[in-house]
Each structure stands twice: as C-alpha cells, then as structure tokens.
C-alpha cells in the first residue's frame, strides 16, 4: 500500500463557521501576529471577543499566532512569549501561572501515517499550573504537562510530563526534579 493524498478527507472536522474563521484570520494577522502591536490588553480583548476564555493579568507578546481562539482557555497570570504558535485544532488549556517562552509551539493535530488516506487526528493539550514551556519547544497532541513541570529550551514532547519535573531533548526525557522555593 502507498499513501494516497487524493483520498484525504477531513470533512468530519468542523472548527467553526467559515465566516468566523475568515474574520479571525484577518484579526489574527492584523493584531496578534503583527509585530507593530505591542498591546497585550488589546490582544486579550480581541481573543475574548472571538470566544477565548482568558483570566486576569495575562501577558501576550507580539507575533503570537493562534489558530482558533474559541478553542483556547487561559488562566490567570500567564505569559505568552514572542512568536508562540498555538495550533489549537482541539482545545488548549493553560492553567494559572503558565509560561510559554519565545517560539514555543503547541500542536493539537497530526496525521495517521499508517493509513493510506493520511487521516487527521486531533487531541487537546492541557498545561497545568506553574508549568513552563521553554523557548522553541514543541508540545504535541494529547499531552498533559503536569503542575510545575518544565520542558527545556528546544525540546519536544508527545507524551505527558510529570509534576515538578524538568524535561530536555527530542524526545524529551526527565533529567531531574524541579524545586520551587
């Protein structure tokens, strides 16, 4: 058997009304991804208008890319660094005091390479309280990053991370416990 992309069909996937998605695309480009908009407050307001649930004192830096704000839940006191990409084909939840450093990538979708049709697969991501996703790190579909876990700079994970643990590498492996003083 060979992969046949002409038979690919993800018609089952309905992320929202076409008009809403097109309107979001325009606002995402003008206000979220635009490096000339440094206003975190304006970004939070726009995300809320488009259905994101966002807590208090959330900081969103320039050049952040969010696929679907209506599939985004952010707790209080979260930081989202420059050039973060939240490709939330499914729900993404950031609990309180989560830090996503520059260039972090949260990816809720993948393809089933075992099927000739290369079917779309999606799963939610949950990043629990006090966790830190380091710069240029990747979190894959279905991952739960437990409380106060750290994914070090440039690392990638497709599996859950334990609480109060530090992970590094690709694939990420636990290197030590995290102590918060």
């Amino acid at each position: 058997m060979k992969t046949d992309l002409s038979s690919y069909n993800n018609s089952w996937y309905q992320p929202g009304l076409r008009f809403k998605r097109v309107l979001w695309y325009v606002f995402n480009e003008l206000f979220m991804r635009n490096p000339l908009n440094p206003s975190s407050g304006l970004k939070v307001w726009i995300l809320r208008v488009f259905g994101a649930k966002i807590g208090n004192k959330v900081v969103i830096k320039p050049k952040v890319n969010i696929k679907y704000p209506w599939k985004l839940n952010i707790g209080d006191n979260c930081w989202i660094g420059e050039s973060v990409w939240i490709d939330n084909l499914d729900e993404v939840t950031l609990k309180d005091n989560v830090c996503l450093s520059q260039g972090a990538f949260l990816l809720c979708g993948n393809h089933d390479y075992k099927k000739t049709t290369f079917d779309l697969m999606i799963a939610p991501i949950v990043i629990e309280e006090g966790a830190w996703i380091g710069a240029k790190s990747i979190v894959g579909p279905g991952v739960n990053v437990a409380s106060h876990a750290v994914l070090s700079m440039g690392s990638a994970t497709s599996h859950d991370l334990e609480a109060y643990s530090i992970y590094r590498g690709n694939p990420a492996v636990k290197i030590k416990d995290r102590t918060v003083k």
Side-chain angles (χ1 to χ4, degrees), residues 95-133:
K95 301 285 178 99
D96 296 344
N97 302 297
V98 165
C99 178
L100 304 179
S101 289
Q102 302 89 332
F105 185 17
L106 307 184
L107 176 67
C108 289
N110 205 346
H111 294 277
D112 190 345
Y113 64 86
K114 295 178 184 175
K115 293 191 175 184
T116 61
T117 54
F118 209 52
D119 294 350
L120 176 65
M121 303 181 308
I122 62 170
I125 293 172
V126 176
I127 302 179
E128 295 183 12
E129 183 174 357
W132 176 17
I133 307 302

Side-chain angles (χ1 to χ4, degrees), residues 67-86:
K67 179 77 82 180
Y68 301 126
W70 48 92
K71 293 180 175 278
L72 183 62
N73 299 289
I74 301 175
D76 296 334
N77 308 308
C78 291
W79 297 348
I80 300 176
E82 289 89 356
S83 301
V84 165
W85 183 4
I86 301 176

Side-chain angles (χ1 to χ4, degrees), residues 4 14 16 30 49 94 98 103 106 131 150 165:
D4 179 10
Q14 300 297 323
L30 290 175
V49 166
L94 309 178
V98 165
L106 307 184
V150 174
S165 299

Side-chain angles (χ1 to χ4, degrees), residues 96-99 127-133 145-152 162-167 174-181:
D96 296 344
N97 302 297
V98 165
C99 178
I127 302 179
E128 295 183 12
E129 183 174 357
W132 176 17
I133 307 302
V145 177
S147 177
H148 293 83
V150 174
L151 183 62
S152 297
E162 296 174 9
Y164 290 91
S165 299
I166 300 173
Y167 290 80
K174 182 177 176 179
I175 58 169
K176 63 183 174 178
D177 291 332
R178 178 184 184 190
T179 304
V180 180
K181 298 178 183 180

Side-chain angles (χ1 to χ4, degrees), residues 19-34 37 42-43 45-47 49-50 64-67 69-70:
F19 176 76
K20 185 177 184 179
R21 288 183 286 145
V22 169
L23 190 60
W24 170 247
Y25 177 80
V26 171
F27 273 78
N28 194 36
E29 290 299 316
L30 290 175
F31 297 103
M32 300 299 293
R33 294 186 50 170
N34 186 343
N37 176 24
L42 178 60
K43 289 177 220 172
W45 182 80
I46 290 169
L47 286 167
V49 166
F50 277 91
V64 170
N65 187 15
I66 296 172
K67 179 77 82 180
W70 48 92

